[in-house]
Amino acid sequence: MQKKKKHKNGILLCCIVWLLFISVMPSSAAQNLNTMKVSLDLKEATVKEFFDAVKKQTNLNFIYNSELTKGLSRITIKSVNQPVRFVLDKVMQDTDCMYEIDGNIVTVTYQQNGKLRKLTGIVLDDENLGIPGVNIYIKNTKFHTITDMQGRYSIEIPTNECKVTFSYIGMKTQDILFKKGNENIKKDIKLVSDTKIDEVVVTGIVVKKKSSFTGSASSFSGEELKAAGVQNPIASLKSLDPSFNVLDNSAFGADPNHLPNIEIRGKSSMLGIRDELSEDPNQPLFILDGFESSLQAIYNLDINRIASMTILKDAASTAIYGSKAANGVVVVETVKPKTGQLRLSYNGSMDISFPDLTSYNLMNSREKLEFEKKFGKYSGKNASATDIVAWDDLYQKHLADINSGVDTYWLSEPLRTGLNHRHSMYVDGGSGGFMFGIGLNYNGVNGVMKKSDRQVYGGNLDLIYRLGKLQFTNKFTAQQTNYNNPTVPFSDYALASPYYKKYNEEGEIDKFLADNKFEGKIGNPLYNDALNSRDETNNLTLTDYFMAEYTPLKDLKIRARAGLTTSINENELFFSPEDTQFAEYNTLKKGLYTYKNVKQTRLEGEFTTTYATVLKDVHRINVSLGGNIWEQKSVLQGYSAQGFPSGDFAYPSFSNGYVEGGHPAYSESLSRSVSGYLIGGYSLKDRYLLDASYRLNGSSVFGSNKKFIGTWSVGLGWNLHNEQFIKNNLSFINYFKIRGSIGNPGNQNFSSSMSLTTFNYSFASYNYFGMGTVLTSLGNANLKWQTTLDKNIGLDLVLLDNRLNLNLDYYHKKTDPLLIAIGLPASSGVSSYNTNLGNQISKGFTGMVQYYLLRDFEKRLTWSLRGTVRIEKSKLGGIGDSLESLNDFGQTNKSVKRYYDGSDPDDIWAVRSAGIDPANGRELFIKKDGTYTYDFTNEDEVVVGNTRPKAEGTFGSNFSYKGFTIAATFRYRWGGKSFNNAVYEKVENISSKSISTFNQDKRALYERWQKAGDVAMFKNIIDASNTPMSSRFVQKENTLTLESFSVGYEFDPIFVRRLGVSGMRLNAYMNEIFRTSTIKQERGSSYPHARSVSFALSFTL
Amino acid sequence: MKLNKSIHVIAICLVINTITGCSEWLDYTPKDQQIENQQFSSRQGFYAAVNGVYNRLTSTILYGENLTYGALDCMGKRYNTGTDNTRTAYLWAQYDYTNKSISANINYIWGNAYATILNVNVILKNLETRKNILSTKDYQVIKGDLLSLRAFLHLDMLRLFGPVYSRKADALAIPYNDSEDAKSYTILSAKDIIYNHLIPDLTEAEKTLKEADPVLTEGVLSSDSENGDNFLRYRQLRLNYYATVLLKARAYLWAGDKKNAAIEARKITDDPQIKSRFPFVNPDKLLGNTTDPDRAFSTEVLFGFYNTNKSNIYISTFDGANLSQNSLLQPRGNYIDLLYSKADYRYASLWTQYGEFYNLVKYKGISIDLKKPPFYTYLMPLIHLSEAYYIASEALIETDPGAAITYLNTILNARGLTQIAANTQASAVIEEIQKEYMREMIGEGQIFFMMKRFYLGMADIYNAESTNNVVASEARYVLPLPESEQTNR
């Protein structure tokens, strides 16, 4: 039964895909031009008879000069239910008449001798560059052409008076009236941008006018992105749009090789379901030039290559990505070569970044020793007499060292000032039907930690070839990324005690900071760092995107695309045998080499037919029918070897063998999907808007019984500014749109293997019967797609002569059921099982406001203020006790995350604390019933806060005068809480063992309880016992950061032209330069945060 | 026209291709693992899966240690486990189930047993959905072997975690996992488990095996076939027909159902062919043989498992000459002299004297020709023929004492012992049977279950750990269900 259904879906989908390929004939679409149809059978009729017959069937009124039409020949026509235009064209084509339809009035004019004249010229944009593909036509006639690649056009028009329309998406449509005349005309046309704000929405498949779009999306041009910073496009986007959330990573700070975690409008998935080769299930989908891409590719993308970035947030805007769109979509378009003579543009930038250690609050050597003494390290409980003496000797030794001036600031040891530079060059040009662009770019980043760098070399070749109504585009990109990570984490330095010396008396670095009976062996991070250990990664990515477009009619576009991306990622990790971690190892096992190779291939093909037209000037219709086919395959291979001789023998051939019990690793994952979609948009008089879509998706990721799913979306909008009552009465409103959408996008960032039951050979158990196979995973063949019911309501408002812009959006996303790994009683035979269960609701509000205090185009003076805000909440439901094992895990593994119905997954769960009892220095806990106790139990856990801020956003200001610009963006986070791990680990929870080994937070010395009566935040200084997680460590986290500050100057064009340059610009940026927070917490435990200053130069020859 | 037609034909072909291809194209088969479809696409695949399941028993978490000579025998007070309270064996012997290490072990045992059961269920499901791949004989043998294994594992979990049956037959015990679905199974009472699940599974197994098991026609077949296809040989390594019947007797006896236990046990003891199929051990070959003695009494083993690690068990656990007190397991001094008479074949073949102490040599390695080691080299017994006689004797002692004593004497006789008198009192017979379990099944975990069944206190002859008296208590005999079972319900 199930199987049958599966096939039915398959057949339906395939039919849609097939329809696209076989049914797209120009004529079939052209018939939609007019809905009015007529059936005629006239023989030798007069013109009047003909018009009357048509009028009868269509209610069209004909206005014509009866004198002139008298001379026309008799009409013989037979038509069965044909569009009225078709019939009119047929009748008129042999006459000297032409007609125009406006509403239900047809005006018939007579032209002398049916003569034509030639109209030629070029259509230019604001920058005086030719615009290819501009539609040029006379309304409701057969006269139509489009501009070539240089923007040139040539069209024959009637000799009598006629109105020619020039239209191009994103530009204001122009109607130009040509008076009666016989001469050929040469006329250059300049089109201007449509509206002031984000005129178009690039969905990756269609480019839509923003004013007729009901979805929630925001677009940013390459220039806008660069104005926010040049380091990478992700960082810039974060400053520009409040819904684009780059999660704060307190561990990896400014590590250039650590990709950020990104969310658009919160999470749609539960944690946990992620394997080595799959992506973060909450990560948005990235589309690069129309093709699915990866976070890594966007992160590495040279910001100068970006023409625009669009964030699609709600169901209506992400509709075409259907089953992959639940987390939102980021669409990136790269620059296209422009026509004209050869141009060369160069962009270069240089950053200086320096580590930000202000969040660290570590003891100096004297404080550390004093703390140790108070803690009781040297008093040796139950120690023998000789030991007591030895302990004291150790204390005296440390004290003597400190008195001689030893106070090592280990934190600064692995750090440096990072110097980074980027260069990118683009040469483009072309003529006739051919255009090309060649780009080269380099990005060299030296992280603020030594041995941490990232180098990206890229090249790209863009070709466009145009042949009549056909256009071919090919974009090829090659990119090599090499990076190194430090082998000694920053935390090792943060842990080293300051009374140890960096160098011994001979000026050498000791292998161990301490090597004695009491303190044990403490490895010296500097020693390990000086070894030939390494962590290197090389990645080569090749991408080729090909696109063919055919425009048989001005309203119809047929497009086929194919993309191929292949990447090879190789990682080598080597730990020298000298490394202190191997101190206790057998000589034959010292040293470790690990090799990992991941190959990934992604193939994508798509076919779309788009038809867009305006009927009778009031009905704007567009319809896209398309299909997509996609495959991604990843293969991981690797091995580890151990046992290396000391010295420069860092390659696997020097090893003693595989790691004991280890074997070569191999795993692969393959995802495939097919889809067919139909998207339609309709607007009435540019006032009432409707978008709707349906997409049928098939994917290999989900259960063999649930491979197909349909996703849909509906959007409604109302352009109030086009209503008369606003136009007439409220003229301060320039733009006012209310829109809403609903849909059910899905998420398929999951591993294919979840739906499969798999077996593996167990080699250890060979017997008379041969080998045996055992179950490795129990798949769920009924695993359903995870879809999210996504509702959005928003408004866009522009007021006061375009001075005030406001965008507000409210969204409500319900993912039901979730795809989660639930715990089961062990008697089920599995400990966890992937299934569809429970739901998660994320709702929130985003707002953007911009106000121009000054705006004088004449003087080239603008000054604006802007602000953004995001408010978000999530809630889990319907999971019951199925995640109890996860909660138990959290309790035993020191996590404050719990999963219960009705709770927010970002909640912090802990037992409430009443603080430290001044009488005895012990912590008092508050039980669930409100009574106090010294006895901790997890039973008393309650929600004590939420890590997600109540509000987060940015505010800032831009000022520009003549060529000079200055901009600042601040980020604020308000109302969130955080479990302060630094305090938990470095102020309390200091065990007798770790006291010697690790440096601690100053507060351990100054703010812990010492004697009866002390009112202290932290427990008894000599208490080495384990402190449970309580609300005492949960603190408010309100922060304010100066995210970016930039100053720029655009040189006077007249001045630079003398230098032979057509434009030149200089910018300086500062990122993360200032930060203040209510929580004092170490940030960047594995890699410190950094502040940076950049300088950028760009010019065009 | 002609061209047009052929274009149409091509187009139609393409459409049909795409339609059928679409769905298949989305079926993903990973190459780094074997998926269900591939696994059960051949007879070899089925048998490899069956072998895999039986091999899981070999794990030290299950019968490779814990459920034989390890945890169970420690709980059955078979060894002096010393006083070191960090030693797992000691903790088992103290029944300290709340101890972290013990509760972790309990969790592993439970989890592994049920994971093995899930393996069984997945094969059983495929057995039904892909019947056509196998011959009727293969189908029946696999089905019988697996149903029986499922019951075997459940019975042991019931005996470990369930109540003392004679006291609380209706108390909640364990769940019975009988499908390949990942779901939460209800915890059932001991009675429910036995009568509504275990016995039906075993009856079904018995029925199918009776029709197909080669052991009934060709015997145990404990040697390689000439063509290398051993799937239907080595029947002692599978829960064959006889093992299944005895298992049923074991289950009835656990439920105190003596009438049915006797019926099942007598199907074996009274089988005319049993003596030839499973002959008693030959003392001439066993005693005095120091090179390759059959210490497993392999000819009498109805079911056992293949463990290449067997000789290491002796080296790491029982070798008194080379092991420190902390790793050694041995009974208290003189205990063996108390339990065995010197004439007992088992005394001479299973134990070596070491001062007042005795080392268990049951699992000691033997000198063998590595190219062709005898079948018993790697065999660890789990079900003995003798148990059929013990069960028959115990079950009949009230109703037919004459027959009961005859059954017991058959075994005593086969072990070189003097028979007990025909007029021996029932209680003395029972005591002798209990002693027989202790003599016969050392290192196999059954002794703890026997003691739990009788709700015995452990003192004197029943305690090889010390001379202390350990009173019977449910807290000792009933293991708590692990945390992993109780959460997520």
Side-chain angles (χ1 to χ4, degrees), chain A residues 676-691:
Chain A
Y677 52 83
L678 180 66
I679 314 163
Y682 171 75
S683 86
L684 180 66
K685 297 175 181 169
D686 264 347
R687 285 186 221 160
Y688 312 107
L689 319 171
L690 169 74
D691 283 319

Side-chain angles (χ1 to χ4, degrees), chain A residues 936-951:
Chain A
F936 176 88
T937 157
N938 282 319
E939 303 280 301
D940 295 327
E941 275 178 357
V942 292
V943 177
V944 293
N946 191 299
T947 52
R948 200 178 278 276
K950 285 190 176 125

